[in-house]
Coordinates of all heavy atoms in Angstrom, one line a residue:
M721 N -9.4 26.1 26.3 CA -9.1 25.7 24.9 C -7.8 25.8 24.5 O -7.2 25.0 24.0 CB -10.2 26.3 23.9 CG -10.1 25.7 22.5 SD -10.6 24.0 22.4 CE -10.4 23.7 20.7
A722 N -7.3 27.1 24.7 CA -5.8 27.3 24.4 C -4.9 26.6 25.2 O -3.9 26.2 24.6 CB -5.6 28.9 24.6
A723 N -5.1 26.2 26.4 CA -4.3 25.5 27.2 C -4.2 24.1 26.6 O -3.1 23.4 26.6 CB -4.8 25.4 28.7
L724 N -5.3 23.5 26.2 CA -5.4 22.2 25.6 C -4.5 22.2 24.4 O -3.9 21.2 24.1 CB -6.9 21.7 25.3 CG -7.1 20.3 24.8 CD1 -6.5 19.4 25.8 CD2 -8.5 20.1 24.4
L725 N -4.6 23.1 23.5 CA -3.8 23.3 22.3 C -2.3 23.4 22.6 O -1.5 22.8 21.9 CB -4.3 24.6 21.6 CG -3.6 24.7 20.2 CD1 -3.8 23.6 19.3 CD2 -4.0 26.0 19.5
V726 N -2.0 24.1 23.6 CA -0.5 24.2 24.1 C 0.0 22.8 24.5 O 1.1 22.5 24.2 CB -0.4 25.3 25.2 CG1 0.9 25.2 25.9 CG2 -0.7 26.6 24.6
V727 N -0.9 22.1 25.2 CA -0.5 20.7 25.7 C -0.4 19.7 24.5 O 0.6 19.0 24.4 CB -1.4 20.2 26.8 CG1 -1.1 18.8 27.1 CG2 -1.2 21.2 28.0
L728 N -1.4 19.7 23.6 CA -1.4 18.8 22.6 C -0.5 19.0 21.4 O -0.2 18.2 20.6 CB -2.9 18.5 22.1 CG -3.9 18.1 23.1 CD1 -5.2 18.0 22.5 CD2 -3.3 16.6 23.6
F729 N -0.2 20.3 21.1 CA 0.6 20.7 19.9 C 2.0 20.0 20.0 O 2.3 19.4 18.9 CB 0.9 22.2 19.8 CG 1.7 22.6 18.7 CD1 1.1 22.6 17.4 CD2 3.0 22.9 18.8 CE1 1.8 23.0 16.3 CE2 3.8 23.3 17.8 CZ 3.2 23.3 16.4
P730 N 2.8 19.8 21.0 CA 4.0 19.2 20.9 C 3.8 17.7 20.6 O 4.6 17.1 19.8 CB 4.6 19.3 22.3 CG 4.0 20.6 22.9 CD 2.5 20.5 22.3
F731 N 2.8 17.1 21.1 CA 2.6 15.6 20.8 C 2.2 15.5 19.3 O 2.6 14.5 18.6 CB 1.5 15.1 21.7 CG 2.0 14.9 23.0 CD1 1.4 15.7 24.0 CD2 2.9 14.1 23.5 CE1 1.8 15.7 25.4 CE2 3.3 13.9 24.8 CZ 2.7 14.8 25.8
G732 N 1.4 16.4 18.8 CA 1.1 16.4 17.4 C 2.2 16.5 16.5 O 2.4 15.8 15.4
L733 N 3.1 17.4 16.9 CA 4.4 17.7 16.1 C 5.2 16.5 16.2 O 5.9 16.1 15.1 CB 5.0 18.9 16.7 CG 6.3 19.4 16.0 CD1 6.0 19.8 14.5 CD2 7.0 20.6 16.8
L734 N 5.4 15.9 17.3 CA 6.1 14.6 17.4 C 5.6 13.5 16.5 O 6.3 12.9 15.8 CB 6.2 14.1 18.9 CG 7.0 12.9 19.2 CD1 8.5 13.2 18.9 CD2 6.8 12.5 20.6
L735 N 4.3 13.3 16.6 CA 3.8 12.3 15.6 C 4.0 12.7 14.2 O 4.3 11.7 13.4 CB 2.3 12.2 16.0 CG 1.8 11.6 17.3 CD1 0.4 11.7 17.5 CD2 2.3 10.1 17.3
F736 N 3.9 13.9 13.9 CA 4.1 14.3 12.5 C 5.6 14.0 12.1 O 5.8 13.5 10.9 CB 3.8 15.8 12.2 CG 4.2 16.3 10.8 CD1 3.4 15.9 9.8 CD2 5.3 17.1 10.7 CE1 3.6 16.4 8.6 CE2 5.5 17.6 9.4 CZ 4.7 17.2 8.3
L737 N 6.5 14.4 13.0 CA 7.9 14.1 12.7 C 8.2 12.6 12.5 O 9.0 12.2 11.7 CB 8.8 14.7 13.7 CG 8.8 16.2 13.7 CD1 9.6 16.7 14.9 CD2 9.4 16.7 12.5
L738 N 7.6 11.8 13.4 CA 7.8 10.2 13.2 C 7.2 9.8 11.9 O 7.8 8.9 11.2 CB 7.2 9.6 14.4 CG 7.8 9.8 15.7 CD1 6.9 9.2 16.8 CD2 9.2 9.1 15.8
F739 N 6.1 10.3 11.5 CA 5.4 9.9 10.3 C 6.4 10.3 9.1 O 6.7 9.5 8.1 CB 4.1 10.7 10.1 CG 3.5 10.4 8.7 CD1 2.9 9.2 8.3 CD2 3.5 11.5 7.8 CE1 2.4 9.0 7.1 CE2 3.0 11.4 6.6 CZ 2.4 10.1 6.1
M740 N 6.9 11.5 9.1 CA 7.8 12.0 8.0 C 9.1 11.2 8.0 O 9.6 10.9 6.9 CB 8.1 13.4 8.2 CG 7.0 14.3 7.9 SD 6.1 14.0 6.4 CE 7.5 14.5 5.2
E741 N 9.6 10.7 9.1 CA 10.8 9.8 9.1 C 10.5 8.5 8.3 O 11.3 8.0 7.6 CB 11.2 9.5 10.6 CG 12.4 8.5 10.6 CD 13.6 9.0 10.1 OE1 13.9 10.3 10.1 OE2 14.4 8.2 9.7
K742 N 9.2 8.0 8.5 CA 8.9 6.7 7.8 C 8.8 7.1 6.3 O 9.1 6.2 5.5 CB 7.4 6.3 8.3 CG 7.5 5.7 9.7 CD 8.0 4.3 9.7 CE 7.9 3.8 11.2 NZ 8.4 2.5 11.3
V743 N 8.3 8.2 5.9 CA 8.2 8.6 4.6 C 9.6 8.7 3.9 O 9.8 8.4 2.8 CB 7.3 9.9 4.4 CG1 7.4 10.4 3.0 CG2 5.8 9.5 4.8
E744 N 10.4 9.5 4.7 CA 11.8 9.8 4.1 C 12.8 8.6 4.0 O 13.7 8.5 3.1 CB 12.5 10.9 5.0 CG 11.8 12.1 4.7 CD 12.4 13.3 5.7 OE1 13.3 12.9 6.4 OE2 12.0 14.4 5.7
A745 N 12.6 7.6 4.9 CA 13.5 6.5 4.9 C 13.7 5.8 3.5 O 14.8 5.6 3.0 CB 13.2 5.4 6.0
P746 N 12.7 5.5 2.9 CA 12.9 4.8 1.5 C 13.5 5.8 0.5 O 14.2 5.3 -0.4 CB 11.4 4.4 1.0 CG 10.6 4.4 2.3 CD 11.3 5.4 3.2
L747 N 13.2 7.1 0.6 CA 13.7 8.0 -0.3 C 15.3 8.1 -0.1 O 16.1 8.3 -1.1 CB 13.0 9.3 -0.1 CG 11.6 9.5 -0.4 CD1 11.0 10.7 -0.1 CD2 11.4 9.0 -1.9
R748 N 15.7 8.1 1.2 CA 17.2 8.2 1.4 C 17.9 6.9 0.8 O 18.9 7.0 0.3 CB 17.4 8.3 2.8 CG 17.3 9.7 3.5 CD 17.8 9.8 4.8 NE 17.3 8.8 5.7 CZ 16.2 9.2 6.6 NH1 15.9 10.4 6.7 NH2 15.8 8.2 7.4
R749 N 17.2 5.7 1.0 CA 17.8 4.5 0.5 C 17.9 4.5 -1.0 O 18.9 4.0 -1.5 CB 17.0 3.3 1.0 CG 17.7 2.1 0.7 CD 16.8 0.9 1.1 NE 15.7 0.7 0.2 CZ 14.5 0.3 0.7 NH1 14.3 -0.1 1.8 NH2 13.5 0.3 -0.2
A750 N 16.9 5.1 -1.7 CA 16.9 5.1 -3.2 C 17.9 6.1 -3.7 O 18.3 5.9 -4.8 CB 15.5 5.4 -3.6
N751 N 18.4 7.1 -2.9 CA 19.4 8.0 -3.4 C 20.9 7.5 -3.1 O 21.8 8.4 -3.2 CB 19.1 9.4 -2.7 CG 17.8 10.0 -3.3 OD1 17.4 9.6 -4.3 ND2 17.2 10.7 -2.4
D752 N 21.2 6.3 -2.9 CA 22.5 5.8 -2.7 C 23.1 5.9 -4.0 O 22.8 5.1 -5.0 CB 22.4 4.5 -2.1 CG 23.8 3.9 -1.9 OD1 24.8 4.7 -1.9 OD2 24.0 2.7 -1.9
P753 N 24.1 6.7 -4.3 CA 24.7 7.0 -5.6 C 25.2 5.6 -6.2 O 25.0 5.4 -7.4 CB 25.8 7.9 -5.4 CG 25.5 8.6 -4.2 CD 24.8 7.7 -3.4
E754 N 25.9 4.8 -5.4 CA 26.4 3.6 -6.0 C 25.3 2.6 -6.4 O 25.5 1.9 -7.5 CB 27.3 2.9 -4.9 CG 28.5 3.7 -4.5 CD 29.3 3.1 -3.3 OE1 28.9 2.0 -2.9 OE2 30.2 3.8 -2.9
E755 N 24.3 2.5 -5.7 CA 23.2 1.7 -6.0 C 22.5 2.2 -7.3 O 22.1 1.3 -8.1 CB 22.2 1.4 -4.9 CG 21.2 0.4 -5.2 CD 20.3 0.2 -4.0 OE1 20.1 1.1 -3.1 OE2 19.6 -0.9 -4.0
V756 N 22.3 3.4 -7.4 CA 21.7 4.0 -8.6 C 22.6 3.8 -9.8 O 22.0 3.4 -10.9 CB 21.4 5.5 -8.4 CG1 20.9 6.2 -9.7 CG2 20.4 5.8 -7.4
E757 N 23.8 3.9 -9.6 CA 24.8 3.7 -10.7 C 24.7 2.3 -11.1 O 24.7 1.9 -12.4 CB 26.2 4.0 -10.3 CG 27.2 3.9 -11.4 CD 28.6 4.5 -11.0 OE1 28.7 5.4 -10.1 OE2 29.5 3.9 -11.6
R758 N 24.7 1.4 -10.2 CA 24.6 -0.2 -10.6 C 23.3 -0.4 -11.2 O 23.2 -1.2 -12.3 CB 24.7 -1.0 -9.3 CG 26.1 -1.4 -8.9 CD 26.2 -2.4 -7.9 NE 25.9 -1.6 -6.6 CZ 25.1 -1.9 -5.6 NH1 24.3 -3.0 -5.7 NH2 24.9 -1.1 -4.6
F759 N 22.2 0.3 -10.8 CA 20.9 0.1 -11.5 C 21.0 0.5 -12.9 O 20.5 -0.2 -13.8 CB 19.9 0.9 -10.7 CG 18.6 1.1 -11.5 CD1 17.7 0.0 -11.6 CD2 18.2 2.2 -11.9 CE1 16.5 0.1 -12.2 CE2 17.1 2.4 -12.6 CZ 16.2 1.3 -12.7
L760 N 21.5 1.7 -13.1 CA 21.6 2.3 -14.5 C 22.5 1.5 -15.4 O 22.2 1.3 -16.6 CB 22.0 3.7 -14.5 CG 21.0 4.7 -13.7 CD1 21.7 6.1 -13.7 CD2 19.8 4.7 -14.5
D761 N 23.5 0.9 -14.8 CA 24.4 0.0 -15.7 C 23.7 -1.3 -16.1 O 24.0 -1.8 -17.2 CB 25.7 -0.4 -14.9 CG 26.6 0.8 -14.6 OD1 26.5 1.7 -15.4 OD2 27.5 0.7 -13.8
H762 N 22.7 -1.9 -15.3 CA 22.1 -3.0 -15.6 C 20.6 -2.9 -15.9 O 20.0 -3.9 -16.0 CB 22.2 -4.0 -14.4 CG 23.7 -4.3 -14.0 ND1 24.4 -3.7 -13.1 CD2 24.5 -5.2 -14.5 CE1 25.6 -4.2 -13.0 NE2 25.7 -5.1 -13.9
A763 N 20.2 -1.7 -16.2 CA 18.8 -1.5 -16.5 C 18.3 -2.1 -17.9 O 19.0 -2.0 -18.8 CB 18.5 0.0 -16.5
K764 N 17.2 -2.6 -17.8 CA 16.6 -3.2 -19.0 C 15.5 -2.2 -19.4 O 15.2 -1.3 -18.8 CB 15.9 -4.5 -18.7 CG 16.8 -5.6 -18.3 CD 16.1 -6.9 -18.0 CE 17.2 -8.0 -17.6 NZ 16.4 -9.2 -17.2
Q765 N 14.9 -2.4 -20.6 CA 13.9 -1.6 -21.2 C 12.7 -1.4 -20.1 O 12.1 -0.5 -20.0 CB 13.4 -2.1 -22.5 CG 12.4 -1.1 -23.2 CD 12.9 0.3 -23.4 OE1 14.2 0.4 -23.7 NE2 12.1 1.3 -23.2
E766 N 12.4 -2.6 -19.5 CA 11.3 -2.6 -18.5 C 11.6 -1.6 -17.4 O 10.7 -0.9 -16.9 CB 11.1 -4.0 -18.0 CG 10.1 -4.0 -16.8 CD 10.1 -5.5 -16.2 OE1 10.8 -6.3 -16.7 OE2 9.4 -5.6 -15.2
D767 N 12.8 -1.5 -16.9 CA 13.3 -0.6 -15.9 C 13.2 0.8 -16.3 O 12.7 1.7 -15.5 CB 14.7 -0.9 -15.4 CG 14.8 -2.3 -14.8 OD1 13.9 -2.7 -14.3 OD2 15.9 -3.0 -15.1
V768 N 13.5 1.1 -17.5 CA 13.4 2.5 -18.1 C 11.9 2.9 -18.1 O 11.6 3.9 -17.8 CB 14.1 2.6 -19.5 CG1 13.8 3.9 -20.0 CG2 15.6 2.3 -19.3
D769 N 11.1 1.9 -18.6 CA 9.6 2.2 -18.6 C 9.2 2.5 -17.2 O 8.2 3.4 -17.0 CB 8.9 1.0 -19.2 CG 9.4 0.9 -20.7 OD1 9.8 1.9 -21.3 OD2 9.0 -0.2 -21.3
N770 N 9.6 1.8 -16.2 CA 9.2 1.9 -14.8 C 9.5 3.4 -14.3 O 8.8 4.0 -13.6 CB 9.7 0.9 -13.9 CG 9.0 -0.5 -14.1 OD1 7.9 -0.4 -14.5 ND2 9.7 -1.5 -13.7
I771 N 10.7 3.8 -14.7 CA 11.2 5.1 -14.4 C 10.3 6.2 -14.9 O 9.8 7.1 -14.3 CB 12.6 5.4 -14.8 CG1 13.6 4.6 -13.9 CG2 13.0 6.9 -14.6 CD1 15.0 4.7 -14.4
I772 N 9.9 6.0 -16.1 CA 9.1 7.0 -16.8 C 7.6 7.0 -16.2 O 7.0 8.0 -16.0 CB 9.0 6.7 -18.4 CG1 10.4 6.9 -19.0 CG2 7.9 7.5 -19.1 CD1 10.5 6.4 -20.4
S773 N 7.1 5.8 -15.9 CA 5.7 5.7 -15.5 C 5.6 5.9 -14.0 O 4.6 6.5 -13.5 CB 5.1 4.3 -15.8 OG 5.8 3.3 -15.1
G774 N 6.5 5.4 -13.2 CA 6.3 5.5 -11.7 C 7.4 6.1 -10.9 O 7.3 6.2 -9.8
G775 N 8.5 6.5 -11.6 CA 9.5 7.2 -10.9 C 10.7 6.3 -10.6 O 10.6 5.1 -10.7
L776 N 11.7 6.9 -10.0 CA 12.9 6.0 -9.8 C 12.7 5.0 -8.6 O 13.3 4.0 -8.6 CB 14.1 7.0 -9.4 CG 15.5 6.4 -9.0 CD1 15.9 5.5 -10.3 CD2 16.5 7.4 -8.7
R777 N 11.9 5.5 -7.6 CA 11.8 4.6 -6.4 C 11.0 3.3 -6.8 O 11.4 2.3 -6.5 CB 10.9 5.4 -5.4 CG 10.8 4.7 -4.1 CD 10.3 5.6 -3.1 NE 9.0 5.0 -2.5 CZ 8.3 5.6 -1.8 NH1 8.6 6.8 -1.3 NH2 7.1 5.0 -1.4
K778 N 10.0 3.4 -7.8 CA 9.3 2.2 -8.1 C 10.2 1.3 -9.0 O 10.2 0.1 -8.8 CB 8.0 2.6 -8.9 CG 7.3 1.4 -9.5 CD 6.1 1.9 -10.3 CE 5.4 0.7 -11.0 NZ 4.4 1.2 -12.0
A779 N 11.0 1.9 -9.9 CA 11.9 1.1 -10.7 C 13.0 0.5 -9.8 O 13.3 -0.7 -10.1 CB 12.5 2.1 -11.8
M780 N 13.5 1.2 -8.9 CA 14.5 0.6 -8.0 C 13.9 -0.6 -7.1 O 14.6 -1.5 -7.0 CB 15.1 1.7 -7.1 CG 15.9 2.7 -7.7 SD 17.5 2.2 -8.4 CE 18.4 1.9 -6.8
D781 N 12.7 -0.4 -6.6 CA 12.1 -1.5 -5.9 C 11.9 -2.8 -6.7 O 12.2 -3.9 -6.3 CB 10.7 -1.0 -5.4 CG 10.9 0.0 -4.3 OD1 12.0 0.1 -3.7 OD2 9.9 0.7 -3.9
R782 N 11.5 -2.6 -8.0 CA 11.3 -3.7 -8.8 C 12.7 -4.3 -9.3 O 12.8 -5.5 -9.2 CB 10.5 -3.2 -10.1 CG 9.1 -2.9 -9.9 CD 8.4 -2.5 -11.2 NE 8.2 -3.6 -12.1 CZ 7.2 -4.2 -12.3 NH1 6.1 -4.0 -11.5 NH2 7.1 -5.3 -13.1
W783 N 13.6 -3.5 -9.4 CA 15.1 -4.1 -9.7 C 15.5 -4.9 -8.5 O 16.2 -5.9 -8.7 CB 15.9 -2.9 -10.0 CG 17.3 -3.3 -10.4 CD1 17.8 -4.0 -11.4 CD2 18.5 -3.0 -9.5 NE1 19.1 -4.1 -11.5 CE2 19.6 -3.5 -10.3 CE3 18.7 -2.4 -8.4 CZ2 20.9 -3.5 -9.8 CZ3 19.9 -2.2 -7.9 CH2 21.1 -2.7 -8.6
R784 N 15.4 -4.3 -7.3 CA 15.9 -5.0 -6.0 C 15.1 -6.3 -5.9 O 15.6 -7.3 -5.5 CB 15.5 -4.2 -4.9 CG 16.5 -3.0 -4.7 CD 16.3 -2.3 -3.4 NE 16.9 -1.0 -3.4 CZ 16.3 0.2 -3.3 NH1 15.0 0.2 -3.4 NH2 17.0 1.3 -3.4
G785 N 13.8 -6.4 -6.2 CA 13.1 -7.6 -6.1 C 13.6 -8.6 -7.1 O 13.6 -9.8 -6.8
R786 N 13.9 -8.1 -8.3 CA 14.4 -9.1 -9.3 C 15.8 -9.6 -8.9 O 16.0 -10.8 -9.1 CB 14.5 -8.4 -10.7 CG 14.7 -9.3 -11.9 CD 14.5 -8.7 -13.2 NE 15.5 -7.7 -13.4 CZ 15.2 -6.4 -13.7 NH1 14.0 -6.0 -13.9 NH2 16.1 -5.4 -13.9
I787 N 16.6 -8.8 -8.4 CA 17.9 -9.2 -7.9 C 17.7 -10.1 -6.8 O 18.5 -11.3 -6.7 CB 18.9 -8.0 -7.5 CG1 19.0 -7.1 -8.7 CG2 20.1 -8.5 -6.8 CD1 19.9 -7.7 -9.7
A788 N 16.9 -10.0 -5.8 CA 16.6 -10.9 -4.7 C 16.0 -12.2 -5.2 O 16.5 -13.3 -4.7 CB 15.6 -10.2 -3.7
R789 N 15.1 -12.3 -6.2 CA 14.6 -13.5 -6.7 C 15.8 -14.3 -7.4 O 15.9 -15.5 -7.2 CB 13.4 -13.2 -7.7 CG 12.2 -12.9 -7.0 CD 11.0 -12.9 -8.0 NE 11.2 -12.0 -9.1 CZ 10.9 -10.8 -9.2 NH1 10.4 -10.1 -8.2 NH2 11.1 -9.9 -10.3
R790 N 16.6 -13.5 -8.1 CA 17.7 -14.2 -8.8 C 18.6 -14.9 -7.8 O 19.1 -16.0 -8.0 CB 18.5 -13.2 -9.6 CG 19.4 -13.9 -10.6 CD 20.1 -12.9 -11.5 NE 19.1 -12.0 -12.2 CZ 19.5 -10.8 -12.5 NH1 20.7 -10.3 -12.3 NH2 18.6 -10.1 -13.1
K791 N 18.9 -14.2 -6.6 CA 19.8 -14.7 -5.6 C 19.1 -16.0 -4.9 O 19.8 -17.0 -4.7 CB 20.1 -13.6 -4.6 CG 21.1 -12.7 -5.0 CD 21.4 -11.7 -3.9 CE 22.3 -10.6 -4.4 NZ 22.7 -9.7 -3.4
N792 N 17.7 -15.9 -4.7 CA 17.1 -17.1 -4.1 C 17.1 -18.2 -5.0 O 17.1 -19.4 -4.7 CB 15.6 -16.7 -3.8 CG 15.6 -15.8 -2.6 OD1 16.5 -15.7 -1.8 ND2 14.4 -15.0 -2.5
Q793 N 17.0 -18.1 -6.4 CA 17.0 -19.2 -7.3 C 18.5 -19.8 -7.3 O 18.6 -21.0 -7.6 CB 16.6 -18.7 -8.7 CG 15.1 -18.3 -8.8 CD 14.9 -17.8 -10.1 OE1 15.7 -17.5 -11.0 NE2 13.6 -17.5 -10.4
D794 N 19.4 -19.0 -7.1 CA 20.8 -19.5 -7.2 C 21.1 -20.4 -6.0 O 22.0 -21.2 -6.0 CB 21.8 -18.3 -7.3 CG 21.7 -17.7 -8.7 OD1 21.1 -18.3 -9.6 OD2 22.3 -16.5 -8.8
D795 N 20.5 -20.1 -4.8 CA 20.8 -20.8 -3.7 C 20.2 -22.2 -3.7 O 19.7 -22.9 -4.1 CB 20.2 -20.0 -2.4 CG 21.0 -18.7 -2.1 OD1 22.1 -18.6 -2.7 OD2 20.4 -17.9 -1.4

């Protein structure tokens, strides 16, 4: 049993690290200071409400979506 644990532990640790990379990727993107500054400069009341209710990440996602829709309408 101990030998099986010794063999499987590194694979479990590797899977955990890969999972955490997927979790951390959006958090690193949301912490770009220039993007956050642009967000705060152009934030509407709805964006402020999103920060309060769901956090900065949710508010930034909604803001990015609104910017992308605006660009698609302009094209």
Side-chain angles (χ1 to χ4, degrees):
M721 183 67 179
L724 186 60
L725 183 61
V726 168
V727 171
L728 293 179
F729 180 76
F731 292 110
L733 184 60
L734 180 64
L735 289 174
F736 176 72
L737 291 174
L738 290 172
F739 172 74
M740 289 308 295
E741 176 66 26
K742 293 280 187 186
V743 170
E744 289 177 0
L747 297 174
R748 280 193 303 256
R749 187 181 71 212
N751 290 333
D752 180 23
E754 293 174 5
E755 188 176 22
V756 172
E757 187 174 329
R758 274 187 279 133
F759 167 75
L760 293 175
D761 287 342
H762 299 94
K764 297 180 180 178
Q765 184 60 40
E766 175 187 354
D767 299 325
V768 175
D769 294 340
N770 286 334
I771 290 174
I772 293 169
S773 66
L776 181 61
R777 189 167 116 184
K778 179 182 174 186
M780 292 287 290
D781 288 342
R782 292 178 67 99
W783 179 69
R784 286 185 195 111
R786 192 170 62 236
I787 297 295
R789 282 192 304 272
R790 193 177 308 152
K791 285 182 182 179
N792 288 338
Q793 290 176 354
D794 291 344
D795 291 342

